[in-house]
Amino acid sequence: MVQVETAETGQGSAGSRDTGSGAWRARIRRAIRIGSRPGPWKRGLVLAALALLLGLFMLLHAKVPNRIGNLGSLAETFLPWFGLFIPVLLGGALWRRSASALVALLMPVMVWLNLFAGLLSDKSHSGSDLTVASHNVGADNPDPAGTARDLAASGADVLALEELTPQARGTYEKELAKAYPHHTVQGTVGLWSKLPLSDTEPVDVKMDQGPLAATKPADVKMAYNRGLRTTVVTDQRPLAVYVAHLGSARVNPRAGFSTGQRDAGAQALGEAVAAERNERVVLLGDLNGTMDDRAFDGLTSQMRSAQDEAGDGFGFSWPAKFPVARIDQILVRGVEPQSSWLLPATGSDHRPVAAGIRW
């Protein structure tokens, strides 16, 4: 009996030693696995790289070349929307628990805020001397009479209309006559005013290009003219007003972002404003581009955006049902924008824009 108990006791001791060594081996393997896992600074390096690239892209957007499909201008047209990639990358960084990605995200956040933070607050002030408005009324607008009544109800002192058709022109003239005793129409653009107008003339925004352009008679060109310049006579000092509807910008597989006609018009407008002798100038119109686009450097170097200076938000105006870009502009020189806002949608595919200015 004694011998058996001793043997059993010996076997039990050996089993205990085996169990103890196995536990130690398990702990060692677990420590190795934990040690081999990437730390928070090594996780999500791809996300960190993407965040840095996004920040650099927004910071250096003016350096993106236009040689291939006008990619630079296309990116600048929708530049504010690149900020949507920030929360996407943030979600990925939190999911990966990546410290490096979170730190890298500070760059695109700071760049975006530097570019657009000023548009997130309401900068409007009361006390304007004159209210101006602009609207691409749309060639396919099914209700020009209703659009005219809505615009007259806005109370604007000066109202610019673009994309007027011969069929709808009479309707606008009739419906706006009571509120605006003075008006001029030059081709497909017009200006209605509560104040007298003088020195009105068409402005060539280069809708005709190529060797045959010079051979077309003036009356033929006037039928599709898209620019005008006039003087609004005020109680203070005269105000030069330009109205323009620049050529369309289109995206297609072969040419990419096609903006040749629009860019030529922007350059022509910039030259016209530079030659303008009146110190007080307002430009109203559908410019088919945002003021972030380098194509408008000739204008933005001389004039200020009323929306940027005195608006609330981005003021996206197109397309009317779900606006993603502000291509309808009010630019000023020599006057102070006090407020800028969007008017209610009409039957057009553009939203009307308005601004209050002060001398």
Side-chain angles (χ1 to χ4, degrees):
M1 293 294 292
V2 175
Q3 292 177 351
V4 172
E5 289 177 359
T6 303
E8 289 177 352
T9 303
Q11 289 175 357
S13 298
S16 298
R17 285 196 298 271
D18 291 341
T19 302
S21 62
W24 276 106
R25 286 196 295 269
R27 292 191 186 99
I28 293 172
R29 286 195 296 268
R30 190 180 306 114
I32 292 173
R33 285 197 302 269
I34 293 173
S36 62
R37 292 175 185 172
W41 291 101
K42 293 183 178 180
R43 288 195 295 266
L45 293 181
V46 173
L47 291 171
L50 290 174
L52 292 174
L53 286 174
L54 176 61
L56 286 172
F57 174 81
M58 292 190 294
L59 179 64
L60 304 175
H61 64 87
K63 303 297 183 181
V64 178
N66 260 347
R67 291 190 297 272
I68 302 175
N70 279 339
L71 288 179
S73 286
L74 178 60
E76 289 167 338
T77 299
F78 301 104
L79 192 59
W81 293 97
F82 282 89
L84 291 178
F85 289 108
I86 294 175
V88 174
L89 292 172
L90 176 61
L94 293 175
W95 179 67
R96 293 282 290 138
R97 288 183 290 181
S98 170
S100 57
L102 289 173
V103 172
L105 272 170
L106 291 175
M107 181 181 183
V109 169
M110 296 304 295
V111 172
W112 193 93
L113 289 175
N114 181 63
L115 290 171
F116 303 114
L119 295 174
L120 300 179
S121 61
D122 186 356
K123 301 177 291 300
S124 61
H125 299 87
S126 59
S128 60
D129 295 321
L130 195 73
T131 300
V132 298
S134 177
H135 189 27
N136 180 326
V137 293
D140 299 323
N141 191 327
D143 186 19
T147 297
R149 289 192 293 269
D150 289 343
L151 293 172
S154 71
D157 300 298
V158 176
L159 173 63
L161 301 185
E162 304 89 45
E163 210 166 289
L164 292 167
T165 63
Q167 297 79 14
R169 173 177 171 175
T171 301
Y172 287 108
E173 289 177 330
K174 177 183 177 181
E175 296 294 336
L176 295 173
K178 183 177 180 180
Y180 299 96
H182 311 279
H183 87 280
T184 179
V185 175
Q186 303 286 318
T188 64
V189 296
L191 189 75
W192 276 257
S193 175
K194 295 180 180 180
L195 302 171
L197 304 176
S198 65
D199 304 324
T200 301
E201 59 184 3
V203 174
D204 184 7
V205 293
K206 305 300 180 183
M207 293 305 298
D208 272 315
Q209 299 186 71
L212 298 179
T215 65
K216 295 182 180 180
D219 58 336
V220 173
K221 291 183 178 181
M222 182 54 65
Y224 52 85
N225 175 71
R226 286 190 176 194
L228 70 82
R229 183 264 181 217
T230 190
T231 300
V232 177
V233 181
T234 73
D235 292 337
Q236 285 91 352
R237 295 184 181 182
L239 177 71
V241 177
Y242 288 77
V243 181
H245 180 196
L246 299 187
S248 298
R250 304 189 184 280
V251 179
N252 61 72
R254 290 188 176 181
F257 191 46
S258 180
T259 61
Q261 202 170 53
R262 184 208 67 181
D263 295 351
Q267 182 178 354
L269 269 179
E271 293 170 355
V273 171
E276 173 62 52
R277 294 184 177 182
N278 197 324
E279 295 180 0
R280 294 163 179 79
V281 185
V282 172
L283 169 59
L284 307 166
D286 173 9
L287 303 189
N288 270 310
T290 71
M291 294 301 97
D292 292 315
D293 192 328
R294 67 195 69 182
F296 298 96
D297 287 351
L299 283 170
T300 55
S301 63
Q302 307 177 67
M303 310 186 77
R304 296 177 291 157
S305 165
Q307 181 65 27
D308 290 351
E309 295 282 332
D312 181 11
F314 289 91
F316 294 147
S317 63
W318 176 89
K321 291 184 178 180
F322 187 79
V324 298
R326 185 180 178 89
I327 63 175
D328 300 277
Q329 307 294 345
I330 299 177
L331 305 181
V332 301
R333 185 186 79 186
V335 295
E336 290 298 322
Q338 293 294 99
S339 55
S340 180
W341 65 96
L342 292 169
L343 294 172
T346 69
S348 173
D349 59 340
H350 292 245
R351 289 283 299 272
V353 296
I357 61 174
R358 182 172 58 85
W359 310 119

